[in-house]
Amino acid sequence: MGKTDTTSSKSYLLLIFSISLAIFMSSLDGTIVNIALPTISESFGVSTSAVSWVATAYLLVMAGCVLIFGKISDFIGYKKIFLSGFVVFTLGSFACGFLPELLDSFYALVGSRAFQGIGGAMISAIAPAMVTAFIPMEQKGKAMGIIMTVAALGTAIGPTIGGLLTQYISWHWIFFINVPIGILSVIIGMKAIPGQSDRNAPLSGFDRSGAAFIFIGLAALLFAVSEGEVLGWTSPAILVSGAVAAVSLALFVWRELHAAEPLLELRLFGKRNFLLTNLILVLVFFGFSGINYLLPFYLQYVLGYETSAAGMVLTSLSFAMMVSGLAAGLLYNRLGGRVLAIAAAAIIAAGYYMMTHLQANTTIAYVVAALIVIGFGLGLMVTPVSNMIMNSVAKRYQGMVSSLTSLERFAPMTIGIAIFNLIFVQGILRIAENRDITMQSPVEVKMHLLSAGFDIAFFGAFIVAVVVLVLAFLARQEIHPDYLDAGDEGASE
């Protein structure tokens, strides 16, 4: 594609603010909803497994659409997709709060969440691409640091805001809160986001077959993974879903290797460094899913904390991410992405190793210290690796690769939850076969089994972190010639 329109220095701040609002809304929505699910379940008189579809519907649509909108943005430009995404997300948020009450229907809520997921996919697909496309090379690291910090803030305050709104007003307001933010974002985005006169190509060349295959494949895969524990891994629904996912994803790979304008240019993975950096991002979020999902159960079942207190403990990780996210942005241009990624991987591995030593009598100070270490490492990792991925490909692939990095954030989290939960359960079953356990009291047996199950699962996360550390050593920071000018020649390592 050709050269994008330039922006003034003043517009950079507005642009970063607009992108930050998008990431904040997405991160907030990811944590603000879950805490209200029990209340929603009671409100509509549905089971806990049924109410989980409020989260699942959003996730499945996001997964199926994110790559599609990333590619479409390469055809028609980021501004149209980004602003349209905000409009859809805002309308979907309003519908989630309004239609279920109006129609007295739980299915109206699930349908509205699916519609909201379309807007979420449009926003998250291209937010990283806009940083790469419109922010000067010397400011990219700082911009990504700010955006990642805002993302951590949204994640951190989501449960607190969700709990307050649900308890003191109503669960509808966890969706209504997005409406004013969305309106503000559209107004700012219209002014701050540059147009791209060179990206006005017709969609006649858009890979519709590939889009259908990836939507069906990813949605079926994430459905099987997220619902396998509830429905049973050998149930017909899960087996059929797994088969559909396998066939659809295989057809997607075949299609992309033969399409003139592929939805995802798979040949990019033939480049060693592109493959390594994407693997790092996938494994970072995969490993984190184990800690993020299982630790609340440890705090409640083993240490005996109330849900609200456990939530407060977990916010220490998000606030550590905020601090290191800002630090990563400031240090990126000075130290380079590879150095930061290696340091971050080592810190994450140290935090996960601390987690493998949790016991029934572990102090809360130790848990918080481990979470701070992990959070600091995660914040230090995401900014440089995301920049390394985005800056390593030609500008014509920006939307495509941006949507890929978004997918690599939430899909591994979903898959990781299922796998680490399986490790946790199987670990308990294997240890329960130990004959010495039968000589202990029931309470001691329960604590021993739970603690051991958590240790095994956390050790699995530690192994993943070690693999990430090795990959970080092997990776290199490469900057595509599209982003190099006379002042950027020294940016590549």
Side-chain angles (χ1 to χ4, degrees):
M1 299 278 177
K3 188 177 181 179
T4 58
D5 300 342
T6 58
T7 57
S8 65
S9 298
K10 184 179 179 181
S11 297
Y12 294 147
L13 293 176
L14 275 178
L15 179 60
I16 292 171
F17 184 61
S18 179
I19 299 171
S20 298
L21 278 177
I23 298 298
F24 178 80
M25 272 178 52
S26 177
S27 302
L28 184 72
D29 200 69
T31 56
I32 198 174
V33 173
N34 289 345
I35 199 166
L37 291 182
T39 304
I40 294 173
S41 175
E42 293 178 7
S43 177
F44 289 101
V46 297
S47 66
T48 54
S49 59
V51 80
S52 68
W53 273 96
V54 174
T56 302
Y58 182 84
L59 173 68
L60 296 186
V61 173
M62 276 272 289
C65 291
V66 68
L67 288 177
I68 296 172
F69 287 119
K71 181 61 179 179
I72 291 176
S73 72
D74 285 332
F75 279 89
I76 66 175
Y78 305 138
K79 187 170 187 174
K80 294 176 184 176
I81 295 293
F82 198 65
L83 294 181
S84 298
F86 265 123
V87 171
V88 173
F89 188 88
T90 304
L91 289 175
S93 298
F94 180 78
C96 286
F98 181 71
L99 288 183
E101 191 75 15
L102 177 68
L103 302 176
D104 191 25
S105 170
F106 173 72
Y107 297 105
L109 176 58
V110 174
S112 298
R113 281 286 281 171
F115 181 73
Q116 187 188 31
I118 297 174
M122 297 171 79
I123 294 170
S124 62
I126 58 173
M130 292 203 298
V131 174
T132 306
F134 301 133
I135 304 297
M137 182 62 70
E138 66 273 10
Q139 296 185 33
K140 279 183 172 64
K142 187 182 296 184
M144 284 297 291
I146 293 171
I147 290 167
M148 290 302 107
T149 300
V150 171
L153 176 64
T155 302
I157 67 175
T160 302
I161 293 178
L164 291 173
L165 291 174
T166 302
Q167 182 173 347
Y168 294 107
I169 305 179
S170 77
W171 63 263
H172 306 80
W173 280 90
I174 65 174
F175 300 110
F176 287 148
I177 193 175
N178 289 326
V179 175
I181 300 175
I183 294 173
L184 177 64
S185 299
V186 171
I187 294 172
I188 295 175
M190 290 177 66
K191 177 178 176 59
I193 302 172
Q196 293 170 288
S197 56
D198 60 331
R199 296 198 181 191
N200 198 23
L203 290 175
S204 56
F206 178 69
D207 182 14
R208 291 174 173 81
S209 297
F213 290 143
I214 195 64
F215 180 88
I216 295 170
L218 285 177
L221 174 64
L222 294 188
F223 171 79
V225 169
S226 62
E227 298 297 313
E229 190 71 27
V230 176
L231 300 178
W233 293 105
T234 58
S235 66
I238 298 302
L239 292 177
V240 170
S241 183
V244 169
V247 172
S248 297
L249 293 176
L251 288 171
F252 172 74
V253 171
W254 177 86
R255 172 64 185 173
E256 298 313 283
L257 293 175
H258 294 85
E261 280 285 349
L263 195 72
L264 179 62
E265 181 53 85
L266 297 177
R267 293 175 184 84
L268 289 174
F269 291 98
K271 298 179 179 180
R272 174 178 174 274
N273 206 60
F274 184 80
L275 176 63
L276 290 177
T277 48
N278 278 276
L279 274 176
I280 289 172
L281 198 60
V282 168
L283 291 177
V284 162
F285 284 97
F286 176 78
F288 176 57
S289 67
I291 303 295
N292 190 53
Y293 174 72
L294 290 175
L295 191 60
F297 293 99
Y298 168 81
L299 292 172
Q300 294 178 59
Y301 295 160
V302 177
L303 297 188
Y305 279 79
E306 296 291 333
T307 303
S308 58
M312 291 297 293
V313 171
L314 292 172
T315 58
S316 59
L317 183 145
S318 296
F319 284 112
M321 283 184 67
M322 290 171 57
V323 173
S324 59
L326 283 174
L330 295 172
L331 295 172
Y332 179 80
N333 291 321
R334 184 178 303 174
L335 300 178
R338 179 173 179 265
V339 173
L340 287 176
I342 292 172
I347 294 171
I348 293 172
Y352 287 168
Y353 181 75
M354 292 174 69
M355 283 292 179
T356 63
H357 291 76
L358 298 184
Q359 303 294 330
N361 59 351
T362 299
T363 64
I364 197 63
Y366 181 89
V367 177
V368 170
L371 285 172
I372 290 174
V373 172
I374 294 169
F376 193 87
L378 289 172
L380 204 62
M381 172 68 80
V382 175
T383 294
V385 173
S386 298
N387 269 327
M388 288 167 70
I389 293 171
M390 293 300 303
N391 293 334
S392 67
V393 300
K395 285 188 175 182
R396 65 192 181 97
Y397 295 132
Q398 284 172 343
M400 176 193 300
V401 176
S402 175
S403 62
L404 176 65
T405 60
S406 297
L407 182 64
E408 288 170 346
R409 286 183 173 91
F410 65 83
M413 290 280 287
T414 305
I415 296 171
I417 286 172
I419 292 178
F420 279 103
N421 189 54
L422 190 63
I423 293 172
F424 171 68
V425 172
Q426 290 301 314
I428 289 178
L429 293 177
R430 294 292 178 269
I431 295 170
E433 296 173 357
N434 188 326
R435 288 176 298 177
D436 294 338
I437 288 179
T438 59
M439 304 299 293
Q440 302 173 17
S441 68
V443 173
E444 290 176 332
V445 169
K446 178 184 176 182
M447 291 299 102
H448 177 76
L449 287 177
L450 286 175
S451 296
F454 286 120
D455 284 347
I456 292 172
F458 294 155
F459 184 75
F462 170 69
I463 296 299
V464 173
V466 171
V467 174
V468 169
L469 180 59
V470 173
L471 293 177
F473 271 106
L474 295 175
R476 295 291 182 269
Q477 182 171 340
E478 298 175 353
I479 298 179
H480 194 276
D482 282 3
Y483 307 107
L484 292 175
D485 55 34
D488 294 330
E489 295 296 339
S492 183
E493 287 186 84

